[in-house]
Amino acid sequence: MPVQFLEKEKIFTIHTDASTYQMKVDDLGFLLHLYYGARTQGCMDYLLTYMDRGFSGNPYDLKLDRTYSLDALPQEFPLWGQGDYRSPALNVRDREGTFGCDLRFAGYEICEGKYALPGLPAVYANEGDGAETLKIFMEDAVLGLKVTLLYGVLPENDIITRAAILENAGSGDVTVERAFSASLDFLTGDYDLITFHGRHAMERNMQRSNVDHGAFAIGSRRGMSSHQYNPMVILADHDTTEDHGRCWSMQFVYSGSFKALAERDQYHQTRLQMGLMDELFSYPLRKGEELVLPEVIMSFSGEGLAGLSHHLHNCIRRNVCRGKYRDIPRPVLFNSWEAAYFDFTGETIIEMARNAKELGAQMLVMDDGWFGNRNDDYRGLGDWVVNEKKLGCTMAQLAESVHSLGMKFGIWIEPEMVNEDSDLFRAHPDWALAIPGRKPVMARNQLVLDFSRKEVRDHIFDQICAVLDGSRIDYIKWDYNRSIADIHSYGAEDQGKVLYDYMLGVYDFLERLTQRYPEILVEGCSGGGGRFDAGMLYYTPQIWCSDNTDAVDRLSIQYGTSFGYPPCTMGAHVSVCPNEQNGRVTPFDTRSVVAMAGTFGYELDPAKLTDEEKEMVRRQISDFLTYAELLHNGDYYRLTDPSSAEAGAWETVAEDGSEALMSAVVLRIHGNRTPIYVHLRGLTKGAVYRDSRSGREYPADALMDVGLPLPVGMGEYQAFVYHLVKL
Ligand code: GLA
């Protein structure tokens, strides 16, 4: 049983295969955190120390005893109002606006299976996962506030999830000013915090910095998880590497504004937290109302960052992504965006499909520009009516023509947006998020539709269903091309709720869409990877990783992304050179090797390829299809950090070690070169592997300990691939 409760000691223990999590209800009814780390037995309440600590408050219950302070004790769900001056997970105000809360233990429940969250995406359990749920009930007697702390356990995968439900069971209103989903206190240790920062077209650059005194926070105020900071953080010992050492992660199953914070306190203790962004958020809970806090996926690895990533990859692949395409490689696609931008007709799309098919592709995606008056990015969003004049045919006819070539067919949508120049905006200007009396902040000349309102969602849903119902569509690219700036809903009484309710609306729409069209593959996108998070992955099993298709930049973007997300979630395409984002020229094969580390496809016009390039594309697609199962299901290893190494290198190893695919791109070249040895990982010790391409044999231990010298090619950015099969 993963979850145990010792009645006498009042200690909760959660075991996964390789980790243990422990907390204790003490005599005062406070819930103290004891331990999260390598699997162990026994009670860890001996870790708690009690002494008089100046200027740290004491609970009234203990009268003259000054040795107890929540300002120093490790807590499970710290809050403002009990004498802890560190960063709270919960901060609420009563009807008068008074800050303060005092939650005490009120009971628990252990149940089989994994909890779900109403209205929000969450990790789910499959049969055989041995999942369990622990619910801990906490109550504030004065406010009548009830908090249910939820813990979900996937023991084999070393995953523990956290979420919480706040319920106002009192008689007055309560306003939630901050509500984080997870908080972890570490009594000892000196840590690094690993975060992933970026910008449009350059997402998820890894940063590793010392957690020092003070608080370091990342997050998003944009109403989206954002290009700027990914909702995924790792705390690690200073000496933790890919293969060794302890590390802990928090990953938010939520796509809106968030905050993650690491604080080192006066006693050198560390607190790690993640949850809803508390700025631009003030959530009123009236009598009887509930607020569901989104889920945080946590994992611990005592075997370095690679081990941690494997837990997260497995969890995302098998317990977050859903639907028909969860376990199978996705169709190799050609996307019209960089090939034609807005400049296409039905005929040119069919022509593109015909040429792509000839090269071995499986799907043609018609990107932005097929609806309303959308011939540039200044107008048309909100009018999901097929522009038959531009296409020269109906959507059904176009889809049929593409299918008749033996290709699947996909389209682009951006349901959450509206242009002022659209029929929708002219009819319903109050359906956009905007502040009365002010001019809205524009971005890409578009406004965000108020998805917190059901009538707005329903209207867009009906329009999009009308397109999908009438035509054979196999794939949708769901885009989101700006951040929210004007947080005001004409449909809301409390504007402090809008950003959260907006996300619930988006999830409601996505749930309805995916339920109604279970055969359709939905790819998420937000100007590339601006909403690359576990929340979106619950509905869209792949996400366009970045608008930057330059193979060299992509190495870093995909490297950073891989810490929390498996390759099968990363949309990656080959595009033309010089690259349209940064002008860099890379060899054609290098671009395909890099795109093969994600869901493979092309972002170019096949008609413009030379005969030699066409031959290369045929080979690239056939290579990808040969390795697709391995790439989709295998264990992914980062072999180098492309921001500093001479070569970017990575590897996927089959779960049973029977084969591996290693790829490397040389990043720096010199005269009279020092050979670059790439150290492989995860091969079966003692085994010999044969490279199926060259026929050459290699001892696994030497490949891992000494490495594999890359050939010395001429010219920049040469790529090399080894398919190693165990003998
Ligand atoms: C975003 C996407 C692109 C493309 C355009 C279309 O920028 O990331 O791939 O779909 O929108 O407008």
Side-chain angles (χ1 to χ4, degrees), residues 655-666:
E655 245 182 318
D656 63 0
S658 58
E659 55 173 337
L661 193 76
M662 192 277 269
S663 310
V665 175
V666 176

Side-chain angles (χ1 to χ4, degrees), residues 337 367-368 412 444 477 479 481 525 527-528 544 547:
W337 182 241
D367 209 280
D368 196 356
W412 178 97
R444 211 190 187 204
K477 178 172 167 189
D479 216 333
N481 277 319
C525 178
W544 183 225
D547 274 349

Side-chain angles (χ1 to χ4, degrees), residues 534-588:
M536 285 307 288
L537 287 170
Y538 186 71
Y539 308 96
T540 71
Q542 62 190 54
I543 298 176
W544 183 225
C545 200
S546 177
D547 274 349
N548 188 341
T549 50
D550 167 50
V552 174
D553 280 350
R554 269 297 184 119
L555 287 178
S556 306
I557 295 169
Q558 293 171 189
Y559 170 80
T561 309
S562 79
F563 281 85
Y565 309 92
C568 66
T569 62
M570 301 183 210
H573 299 167
V574 176
S575 63
V576 297
C577 269
N579 181 270
E580 302 206 354
Q581 282 78 30
N582 65 11
R584 192 180 343 241
V585 177
T586 52
F588 200 34

Side-chain angles (χ1 to χ4, degrees), residues 49-70 72-73 267:
T49 59
Y50 298 90
M51 58 190 96
D52 189 349
R53 312 194 194 232
F55 283 81
S56 289
N58 318 115
Y60 194 83
D61 320 39
L62 290 172
K63 307 257 159 36
L64 300 180
D65 181 0
R66 299 191 203 169
T67 64
Y68 186 114
S69 179
L70 287 169
L73 286 165
Y267 301 111

Side-chain angles (χ1 to χ4, degrees), residues 156-157 242 303 305-318 562-563 565-568 570 596-597 627-639 649-663 680-684 689 704 724:
E156 278 174 29
N157 206 12
E242 286 286 348
E303 292 169 356
L305 296 162
L308 188 75
S309 291
H310 291 161
H311 301 164
L312 301 177
H313 289 188
N314 290 335
C315 178
I316 296 277
R317 267 192 302 209
R318 294 173 197 152
S562 79
F563 281 85
Y565 309 92
C568 66
M570 301 183 210
M596 262 166 57
Y627 308 128
E629 289 282 348
L630 169 64
L631 292 167
H632 191 92
N633 296 311
D635 291 335
Y636 180 85
Y637 290 87
R638 295 171 291 272
L639 301 181
W650 63 98
E651 179 196 10
T652 306
V653 185
E655 245 182 318
D656 63 0
S658 58
E659 55 173 337
L661 193 76
M662 192 277 269
S663 310
L680 279 82
R681 292 196 159 107
L683 302 175
T684 306
Y689 285 79
M704 294 192 283
L724 301 165

